[in-house]
Amino acid sequence: MVPLSRTTSLVPWTLAHDGRTFFATVYSRHFSGVARIDGSAKRMTRIKAFPDPTDYQADGAFDGRWLVWTEYHGFDNFNDFTVWAWDSKSGTARQIGAATRSPSGRFWENPWRQPDVRSGIATWAQGSGPDDLTEVHLYDLRAGEDRVVHEGHTQGSFLLSGHLVVWPESFARGAETRMNAASTLTDDSVPLPRALRALHGVSGLATDGRRIAYPDGPYKSLWWSPSLRAVPRKIIAERDAHYVDNSVQIGGRYVGFGIQPRVFIGDVRARRYVAVTARGGWTRLDSKSLLVLYATGSKALDAVAPIVFVPLRDLPPIPACS
């Protein structure tokens, strides 16, 4: 581990589920790339350096052992990328996927969503043909095997408990998406959990594998289900052109969400929520900790943004609305 300098810029994108560390894109004079950050010691473990230290970026997920991320080769689009995996037990990183090109040499259009990983299985969706045709990939990290379980007009895939991979898909040009599911064990199509059956036109869904939360299609309300067996219910409704953005996070009884420039934490059990910043930013949340990144107001890509990292056990009760 190496200390973080005061000039190091961090872009956190997933927590390590230990209440102490998280993963981030790092930009500094001495290292730019993917790293694990110890929030209390203010030190980092370097995982992979970027070949281009200024224009590359990353986003991904961690399942307790495996970190999987997409490395985007620029800030102007999400079509040129590679997919990487890091084994926290061995400390080794390897490439497990990459964008493909059309016969003209251009990259296929790629749906935006970070890869997901659960119990050693990773998933992502990527462009594979004209008219926004995409493939849903499953990658067995222990076996080193990549499988395409579906091809269609899909958006980004994600994983749920019970060995399920799920993705939104549009079955006609201009039609709203509907959710579809397959088994990560057999690759066969399977019935959707009850919580997902009525979801149409939803793309910003967040899940911890057992619960879901999402903004509706017009981004005017926030919906929540405490179980894959329960029908979601509306927990936040906004009017007057305020939009619930797609930065929704889940951490047990807590939900993080943005109605920019305000960012909120909600306690679903107490049915209360509170703004943690009114000047822009976003949260990262799991069952053990809360991270808040505050906007800098600077247009510089290397601006150092303030970050607060708090164990959920230290979070005070959310006060009742006045």
Side-chain angles (χ1 to χ4, degrees):
M1 297 178 69
V2 297
L4 294 171
S5 71
R6 293 184 178 181
T7 58
T8 299
S9 177
L10 301 178
V11 182
W13 33 266
T14 195
L15 303 181
H17 316 311
D18 59 5
R20 298 181 295 103
T21 61
F22 59 91
F23 297 94
T25 303
V26 176
Y27 299 100
S28 71
R29 291 176 56 190
H30 303 290
F31 174 80
S32 291
V34 173
R36 186 171 191 163
I37 310 298
D38 188 314
S40 57
K42 297 183 179 180
R43 299 175 70 86
M44 71 174 174
T45 299
R46 297 172 178 175
I47 293 175
K48 181 186 178 297
F50 289 154
D52 185 325
T54 57
D55 287 340
Y56 278 29
Q57 55 183 322
D59 198 1
F62 183 64
D63 72 353
R65 174 180 174 178
W66 300 92
L67 178 71
V68 177
W69 73 93
T70 301
E71 184 174 280
Y72 296 105
H73 305 157
F75 282 89
D76 55 346
N77 68 69
F78 296 106
N79 298 330
D80 180 4
F81 65 88
T82 48
V83 185
W84 290 80
W86 175 72
D87 184 352
S88 62
K89 286 190 174 181
S90 67
T92 58
R94 70 179 188 267
Q95 183 178 319
I96 61 173
T100 56
R101 299 177 185 265
S102 69
S104 67
R106 299 186 63 180
F107 289 105
W108 297 117
E109 288 293 321
N110 189 60
W112 180 87
R113 185 183 176 104
Q114 73 275 17
D116 200 4
V117 61
R118 183 172 300 279
S119 302
I121 299 295
T123 188
W124 69 91
Q126 67 178 70
S128 59
D131 300 322
D132 298 326
L133 193 65
T134 54
E135 297 172 337
V136 175
H137 286 249
L138 285 179
Y139 193 99
D140 186 325
L141 292 158
R142 294 180 179 86
E145 179 188 39
D146 182 25
R147 314 189 307 269
V148 175
V149 297
H150 182 76
E151 187 174 41
H153 295 91
T154 76
Q155 296 182 7
S157 55
F158 54 92
L159 297 164
L160 298 175
S161 61
H163 307 290
L164 296 179
V165 58
V166 178
W167 62 90
E169 182 170 3
S170 177
F171 292 93
R173 183 177 294 275
E176 284 190 328
T177 59
R178 293 182 293 168
M179 295 292 178
N180 293 271
S183 167
T184 63
L185 301 176
T186 66
D187 298 351
D188 295 330
S189 295
V190 295
L192 282 167
R194 188 181 183 191
L196 302 177
R197 291 174 190 170
L199 271 59
H200 295 164
V202 170
S203 59
L205 184 142
T207 181
D208 62 359
R210 296 181 296 135
R211 309 167 185 88
I212 65 168
Y214 58 91
D216 66 349
Y219 294 93
K220 287 285 192 175
S221 60
L222 180 63
W223 294 71
W224 157 267
S225 177
S227 165
L228 298 180
R229 298 183 300 274
V231 174
R233 59 184 175 88
K234 186 187 297 185
I235 58 173
I236 298 291
E238 284 292 316
R239 300 176 178 86
D240 302 324
H242 290 296
Y243 283 79
V244 179
D245 65 28
N246 62 359
S247 64
V248 179
Q249 299 278 297
I250 294 177
R253 62 189 281 184
Y254 295 99
V255 177
F257 60 98
I259 304 174
Q260 298 295 333
R262 297 173 296 165
V263 177
F264 296 88
I265 294 297
D267 183 335
V268 179
R269 188 180 302 170
R271 299 188 178 184
R272 298 173 179 177
Y273 63 97
V274 64
V276 293
T277 174
R279 298 183 178 180
W282 66 82
T283 62
R284 291 295 179 262
L285 187 63
D286 65 11
S287 62
K288 294 185 177 181
S289 52
L290 163 67
L291 183 150
V292 182
L293 183 138
Y294 295 86
T296 64
S298 171
K299 295 182 180 179
L301 293 175
D302 59 352
V304 178
I307 294 172
V308 173
F309 189 63
V310 183
L312 283 182
R313 65 177 181 271
D314 297 336
L315 196 68
I318 296 175
C321 297
S322 57

